[in-house]
Amino acid sequence: MLANSTRGFLWSDVETRTLLNIWGERDIQTALGGNFRNSHVYRDVARRLGIMGFERTPEQCRVRIKSLKRQFILAKEGNLRNNGQYHKICKFYDAMETILNCRPQIDPQELLDSGAVGDETEEEVDTDPPQDPYLESTGESSYPETQVKLEYPPIPVTVGNSTTVRQISSQSAGGPSSKRPKKRHADLALDSVTKRLLEQSAEAEQSFYQMEEQRLQAEDHRREAKHARELHMLQVLGQMFSSIATRNPVATATPNTAMPPALNTMESTMQPGVPMSASGQMRRGRSSHRRVRSPQSQAEWPSYHSQPQSNAGLVLEHSSLGTAACRGMDDILPLVKNIVPQLTSKKHKGQYGRIGIIGGCQEYTGAPYFAAISALKVGADMSHVFCAKAAVTVIKSYSPELIVHPVLDSPNAVEEIEKWLPRLHCLVVGPGLGRDEMLLKTAKEVIEKSKARDIPIIIDADGLWLVAQQPSVIQGYKKGILTPNYMEFTRLYEAMHHEPLDSSDHQRSAMELSVAMGNLTVVLKGEDDLITDGNKGILCRQEGSGCRCGGQGDLLSGSLGVLAHWAYTSSADMTKSVNPSVVAAFGACSLTRQCNRQAFHKHWRATTTTDMIQEISSAFKKLFES
C-alpha cells in the first residue's frame, strides 16, 4: 500500500480506532509526556499500526492524532455552548475523552494555537522549561526565558519570522528573571477560521464516504443486472432447445447397434441443416450439446457419460482405432459405485485410506494442500504431505487435518519417507514439487521404493516432468497412473516417440503413449477427459463448466489416489475384470467435473478450487451414492 500524506481523508473508521488504541497505550502516553521531540514515538506508533495491517508513515499518524485532538476540543467546547450540537464534529469523541482524561489538563486555546504551527512535537505537552518555537524546529536546546518589558505596543509575533523570534529569545534569555512567560494566544479571527476549517473538513470527509458508498452500491446493481441478463439468456436458449426437441421425431437406431436412450435424446436435439464434420460430428461450442458420431463406427470408442439425471448414458464415439480395442465395455459408472466402501462402525481409523503426497516447495504450497484435502474430503482417513522445510509452516496453516512432514529437502529424505511407506495405501507424486534437481532425485527414489511395495502411484504436475526426463522411473508399472494436461501430454509423447505429436487424433496418441509406457493408465485432461490403459479407451464427458481454475488438477489427483486404493482392494467381481486404474480414473474425472459444475453454478466466473473442494461431499453423494 502506498503511503499517503493527505490529512485525514483516507483514514477509515477501523484504521482510526486502531490508531487511537495504540496512541492511548500507557507507554506511548508516557513517552509523549516526557519528551520535547517525539518523532521516535510516532515512528513506534506507525510500526505498531503496520503490525495490525495498516501501512502509515509516522507523519501521517502525527497529523491524524493532531486533527482528532482539534476536533475533540472544538466538540467539547461546542457541547458546552450549544447543548451537544457540536458532538458530531468529532466522531471519536468518547475514545478521545477516555484517553485525554488520563493526561494533565489541556488548555484548549493553547492546543489550537500550537496546531497552526505544524511542528512535530505533541501539542498539548506543557512541561518546564517551555519550548521556544525556533529552537523546537531546529533541534537546539531551550533555556529559561525572562519577561521583557516592551516600550512599544505589543504586536502579534509570527512564528514563521525566525529573525524576530531569535531576537526575542536572545533578549529574553539575557535577563535575570526566570519567570515563565505567558504564551500569546491567537486572535478571534484565527480561532473562527480554524473552527470553520475543521467543520468543513468533517463535512468533506463525510461526503467522501457517502459518495464512495453510493459508487459501490451502483457497481453492485450493475453486476446483479448483468448476471440477471445472462441467466435470462440461458433460460431463453433452454426453451429454444426444448421446443426443437419437441418438434423433431426421435432418430431411429441402426439395425446393427442398439442405441441407448441417452444417445436417442441427444440425436433428437439436432436441428436439420446443422453443419457436420467429416466424421459426422455436430460442430459445437464449449456450452452446446454433446457430440454425436456417425453410426458406422459406434462400437469403436465408447464414451461413458454419467448425467446428473440418470446413471445410464452410454454414448458411442468415433475413433480411428481398431474395433477390437473397446468392445465388451459396460457402463462404467456402476463399477465406480461398487468400489466405494460402505461406512460401518466396525472399521478403525486408517482402513478407508492413508494417502501420501510428495510435493510442496517454497514457491508452491497450494497444490499439495489441494491434493491432500481433496483426498480427505473424498473419504480417506489420513493425508500425509511430504514437503520441503520452507513449505511446512504454510501448508500446516491451511488445515489442521493434514499431517505434514518437512523432510523432502533433507539429506536423508528418502530414508525419512521410506519409514512411512508401509503405512500408506497410495502415493501421489508431483503437486507443487517444483523442478529442483535434489527434489526430483528424491521423488525418483521414493517412486522406486513405492513400486517395491506394490502400491498405486499417481504422477501429476512436476512429477510428469520427471517422467519425461527419465521414463524408466515408472515405465511398465501396472499400478502407475499418469494425469497430464495437453502440454504435459505433448512433452511425454515426444519424449517416448521422438517425433511431433499428431494433434488431429488424441485418442490414438493417448493409446500409443500408454503402450509405450508399458500399458500404464493415462488420463489426458481436456474438454473431454480421455482415459486409456493401451487396451481400452474411455471418454469421460461428465458436464463441467468453462471455468478452469488453477488447482483443479490437484483435486483430481488427490481424489484419484483414494479411488485407486479402493479399486485395487476391491474384488474382481466389483470391477468386472476392468482395469482398476481405469475405474478409479473415470470416477475421479467425473467427480472433479461435477464439483466444477456445482461451484460454477454458485460462483460463476469467481469459481476457485477452494469452492470446488466445498462441493466434493454433495457431488460424491450425487454421483456414487444416489
Side-chain angles (χ1 to χ4, degrees):
M1 177 179 179
L2 297 177
N4 196 316
S5 60
T6 305
R7 290 174 177 256
F9 285 94
L10 298 181
W11 285 78
S12 64
D13 291 350
V14 176
E15 192 174 5
T16 301
R17 293 191 184 279
T18 305
L19 175 65
L20 287 175
N21 291 338
I22 296 173
W23 181 70
E25 293 178 2
R26 177 172 296 181
D27 58 336
I28 296 296
Q29 292 296 313
T30 302
L32 290 174
N35 293 275
F36 293 109
R37 298 186 62 83
N38 45 45
S39 58
H40 66 285
V41 180
Y42 280 104
R43 283 197 295 270
D44 186 49
V45 172
R47 180 186 62 79
R48 299 187 189 185
L49 192 64
I51 295 175
M52 302 300 292
F54 303 102
E55 296 295 332
R56 289 286 180 173
T57 65
E59 177 62 16
Q60 287 176 321
C61 296
R62 187 188 69 81
V63 171
R64 183 58 173 164
I65 290 296
K66 181 187 294 186
S67 174
L68 292 173
K69 287 190 290 187
R70 289 177 188 165
Q71 294 178 16
F72 170 78
I73 294 301
L74 290 177
K76 190 170 185 179
E77 291 182 352
N79 287 337
L80 298 176
R81 295 196 298 266
N82 298 278
N83 297 326
Q85 294 298 322
Y86 279 70
H87 192 284
K88 62 183 181 180
I89 295 179
C90 184
K91 184 184 296 185
F92 307 95
Y93 184 92
D94 297 333
M96 291 294 297
E97 186 178 36
T98 301
I99 297 173
L100 295 179
N101 280 345
C102 299
R103 302 184 62 179
Q105 190 64 29
I106 304 169
D107 183 2
Q109 187 61 40
E110 177 182 332
L111 178 60
L112 293 176
D113 294 343
S114 62
V117 176
D119 56 23
E120 66 173 6
T121 59
E122 190 71 12
E123 289 81 357
E124 75 274 15
V125 176
D126 189 11
T127 58
D128 291 325
Q131 193 77 354
D132 181 80
Y134 172 77
L135 298 179
E136 184 179 14
S137 63
T138 59
E140 299 175 7
S141 301
S142 61
Y143 298 92
E145 297 181 353
T146 59
Q147 194 168 8
V148 179
K149 182 177 181 182
L150 302 177
E151 297 181 358
Y152 48 85
I155 60 175
V157 179
T158 304
V159 176
N161 191 344
S162 58
T163 305
T164 305
V165 174
R166 181 184 296 274
Q167 182 179 359
I168 294 173
S169 300
S170 61
Q171 292 176 359
S172 300
S177 174
S178 60
K179 292 184 179 180
R180 183 173 180 176
K182 295 183 179 179
K183 291 189 176 181
R184 295 184 181 275
H185 298 284
D187 54 10
L188 297 179
L190 181 60
D191 186 15
S192 61
V193 170
T194 305
K195 183 181 298 184
R196 187 162 56 254
L197 178 62
L198 290 176
E199 292 175 353
Q200 293 175 354
S201 174
E203 293 175 359
E205 184 175 0
Q206 186 67 23
S207 176
F208 171 78
Y209 287 135
Q210 290 177 356
M211 292 175 61
E212 184 68 13
E213 184 177 358
Q214 292 174 0
R215 185 187 68 80
L216 293 176
Q217 291 177 355
E219 186 176 348
D220 291 339
H221 291 326
R222 286 196 299 270
R223 189 182 299 109
E224 292 175 358
K226 180 179 179 182
H227 185 57
R229 288 195 300 269
E230 292 174 345
L231 290 179
H232 179 68
M233 292 177 62
L234 291 175
Q235 292 175 356
V236 172
L237 289 174
Q239 293 174 0
M240 291 174 58
F241 286 124
S242 299
S243 62
I244 293 172
T246 303
R247 289 196 302 268
N248 293 338
V250 178
T252 57
T254 58
N256 297 331
T257 306
M259 300 179 65
L263 182 58
N264 292 335
T265 302
M266 285 187 291
E267 283 193 345
S268 66
T269 62
M270 296 176 57
Q271 303 180 39
V274 174
M276 304 292 290
S277 63
S279 61
Q281 174 187 352
M282 181 177 67
R283 296 176 183 173
R284 60 180 176 85
R286 184 177 294 272
S287 59
S288 62
H289 288 278
R290 291 170 180 79
R291 291 174 289 188
V292 179
R293 297 288 185 172
S294 58
Q296 289 79 4
S297 56
Q298 288 172 350
E300 297 177 2
W301 188 281
S303 169
Y304 296 91
H305 170 217
S306 55
Q307 299 181 359
Q309 295 81 3
S310 174
N311 292 334
L314 174 63
V315 180
L316 303 182
E317 182 73 16
H318 168 74
S319 173
S320 58
L321 298 173
T323 57
C326 300
R327 286 183 177 176
M329 293 290 292
D330 298 325
D331 191 0
I332 200 169
L333 185 61
L335 303 184
V336 181
K337 294 181 179 181
N338 289 342
I339 67 173
V340 177
Q342 297 295 323
L343 296 176
T344 174
S345 59
K346 296 180 180 180
K347 289 191 175 182
H348 57 76
K349 180 180 67 176
Q351 286 188 280
Y352 288 119
R354 297 184 294 270
I355 311 302
I357 311 295
I358 305 296
C361 59
Q362 184 175 2
E363 293 83 5
Y364 308 113
T365 58
Y369 162 73
F370 287 145
I373 199 67
S374 298
L376 290 180
K377 294 285 187 178
V378 169
D381 290 333
M382 286 180 282
S383 282
H384 295 259
V385 179
F386 301 91
C387 64
K389 293 180 181 179
V392 61
T393 303
V394 181
I395 298 176
K396 277 181 175 291
S397 67
Y398 290 153
S399 175
E401 286 88 0
L402 306 182
I403 305 172
V404 187
H405 309 270
V407 299
L408 195 56
D409 56 349
S410 61
N412 58 338
V414 178
E415 291 76 8
E416 291 291 334
I417 299 175
E418 186 178 10
K419 294 188 301 185
W420 290 91
L421 291 181
R423 311 182 191 182
L424 301 180
H425 295 133
C426 184
L427 199 67
V428 180
V429 181
L433 180 63
R435 297 181 181 179
D436 182 80
E437 293 184 1
M438 183 178 68
L439 298 183
L440 292 175
K441 181 180 178 182
T442 300
K444 175 186 176 182
E445 295 183 18
V446 171
I447 291 175
E448 296 291 346
K449 300 290 185 181
S450 302
K451 287 164 56 179
R453 294 190 172 275
D454 196 37
I455 63 177
I457 303 175
I458 289 87
I459 301 183
D460 185 33
D462 293 317
L464 296 171
W465 170 269
L466 171 64
V467 174
Q469 306 302 314
Q470 304 179 52
S472 60
V473 69
I474 195 68
Q475 190 173 15
Y477 185 60
K478 299 300 183 182
K479 292 186 179 181
I481 305 175
L482 307 182
T483 60
N485 56 28
Y486 179 73
M487 294 302 299
E488 294 163 341
F489 175 77
T490 302
R491 189 184 301 119
L492 287 170
Y493 184 90
E494 294 178 353
M496 294 301 300
H497 292 86
H498 305 288
E499 62 181 17
L501 172 68
D502 181 10
S503 59
S504 62
D505 194 348
H506 290 166
Q507 299 166 0
R508 173 179 290 278
S509 299
M511 296 193 74
E512 289 177 349
L513 176 62
S514 176
V515 172
M517 293 296 297
N519 289 98
L520 265 69
T521 300
V522 176
V523 181
L524 175 55
K525 298 177 287 190
E527 184 179 4
D528 298 323
D529 293 335
L530 195 157
I531 307 166
T532 178
D533 61 355
N535 298 318
K536 299 181 174 74
I538 301 172
L539 286 177
C540 177
R541 287 179 170 173
Q542 175 68 30
E543 185 177 358
S545 76
C547 183
R548 295 296 183 93
C549 48
Q552 185 169 332
D554 303 313
L555 190 157
L556 171 65
S557 61
S559 58
L560 178 55
V562 183
L563 292 172
H565 164 59
W566 292 347
Y568 277 102
T569 54
S570 300
S571 62
D573 294 336
M574 294 291 187
T575 60
K576 296 183 179 179
S577 300
V578 178
N579 188 340
S581 294
V582 174
V583 176
F586 183 84
C589 292
S590 301
L591 178 64
T592 303
R593 287 171 168 269
Q594 180 67 20
C595 291
N596 182 263
R597 181 190 179 206
Q598 294 181 191
F600 184 75
H601 180 71
K602 293 181 180 179
H603 304 281
W604 199 239
R605 290 184 180 273
T607 302
T608 63
T609 303
T610 303
D611 301 323
M612 293 175 57
I613 291 173
Q614 300 302 320
E615 302 295 328
I616 290 179
S617 177
S618 60
F620 188 94
K621 184 176 181 180
K622 192 170 188 176
L623 289 175
F624 309 134
E625 294 181 341
S626 60

